[in-house]
Amino acid sequence: MFVAVRPAPDGVRRWSVVVLFVALLTGLYFPSDSRVLAAPGAWVSGSGCYPTNSSNAADCRNYKLWVPASYNGSASVPLVLMLHGCTQNPDDFAAGTQMNAVADANNFLVVYPEQPSSANASQCWNWFLPNHQARGAGEPAILAQIVAQVRGAYNVDARRMFVAGLSAGAAMTVIMGATYPDLFAAIGVAAGLEYKAGTDLPSALIAQETGGPDPNQQGQLAYQAMSGYQHRMPVIVFHGTLDATVAPKNGDQVISQWAQTNDLIDDGLDNDSVDDVADQMLPGVVPNGHTYTRYLYNDASGRVLMEKWIVDGMRHAWSGGSASGSYTDPTGPNASAEMWRFFIGSVPRLQYLPLIRR
């Protein structure tokens, strides 16, 4: 269970970091407009911080940034924030998802924050605790700070920034979509849960096993969490039918919650302008792999706003990932490639996405 507090496996690799920036200002801090160029196809390490309640303290997370060989700083490029699951780290998650290969083929940056065991014994993002479920505090604020630092150092297109995660990272991805919609144009949720599915450890465990609270209620809460930064949030979900860690019902609830949130964003009314009834169901099969069903959910104009991929026979895993990382199923549809397709295709559909305020 991905909120359990057990030590990480001995084989989990650690990586050393070089602190590039430390930001201790309230809110998002943007460094100067000078651009940092890394060697082509390179890893860059850093640390992002956010002030705690004490004026002399800050909470920090290390991260690794993948810079594709095609990046030269002359044009703005997209960015994908990737949030690992429990017992994982950036190297493991990058190896398993192969998102860097997608970035190399499409010229975008990928940033992998690291949740240390000092913050959670199993290296889980603390999605189930109230102090990590709102804007301007806790892990959401730290992750937003990391995005701000990367954007300040590289030529990032502020209108094409996305976030995706697995398991606990997927649950935190949902939180980031609700609390920092001004940062992210779309989100990708692999084996995750709806917004505030749990608000303590016992309720989180129940949600994992049987599903969270009423998605309509949680959709209202996510809408409120957007706090003046509302824009319709495109969402793509992957979940396996045999997931015994996060019950498949949770994948359905993520769609239902965001249908309610997006419905309210349209005009402030609960009038089913967006709903959780699929407009199309497209069956498919991976050669020598899993069958799956792809569900498409349209907005009022008939354009796809949400997708859900239910993979038959897949357990708790990143679909289509590499066996070189943990919690992957190479015989599923390629979640990394499909998320990128969905992400980049979602931007023209957005009616309004405010620029990040400096």
Side-chain angles (χ1 to χ4, degrees), residues 56-195:
N56 296 319
D59 201 1
C60 304
R61 295 294 184 274
N62 296 326
Y63 65 84
K64 294 190 77 172
L65 172 71
W66 179 253
V67 182
S70 52
Y71 175 82
N72 60 21
S74 63
S76 62
V77 298
L79 178 145
V80 177
L81 179 70
M82 292 286 285
L83 303 180
H84 64 71
C86 297
T87 76
Q88 294 183 313
N89 63 22
D91 291 306
D92 180 34
F93 197 43
T97 63
Q98 294 290 292
M99 188 61 82
N100 292 356
V102 182
D104 288 343
N106 295 279
N107 193 29
F108 62 89
L109 304 174
V110 193
V111 60
Y112 300 85
E114 180 183 34
Q115 178 74 316
S117 57
S118 58
N120 181 288
S122 293
Q123 297 166 280
C124 310
W125 298 100
N126 291 301
W127 62 271
F128 52 92
L129 298 177
N131 53 325
H132 300 290
Q133 295 177 334
R135 185 184 183 94
E139 290 167 4
I142 299 168
L143 294 171
Q145 181 60 50
I146 289 173
V147 171
Q149 288 188 191
V150 174
R151 182 178 173 239
Y154 293 84
N155 194 356
V156 174
D157 185 343
R159 293 183 182 270
R160 293 188 294 165
M161 301 195 300
F162 313 98
V163 55
L166 170 66
S167 193
M172 184 56 72
T173 291
V174 169
I175 291 172
M176 296 306 294
T179 58
Y180 286 92
D182 50 327
L183 289 186
F184 302 109
I187 66 174
V189 182
L193 299 94
E194 65 184 357
Y195 181 64

Side-chain angles (χ1 to χ4, degrees), residues 78 80 102 106 108 162 335-345:
V80 177
V102 182
N106 295 279
F108 62 89
F162 313 98
S336 294
E338 294 296 342
M339 284 186 182
W340 172 250
R341 171 199 54 81
F342 179 82
F343 287 165
I344 205 64

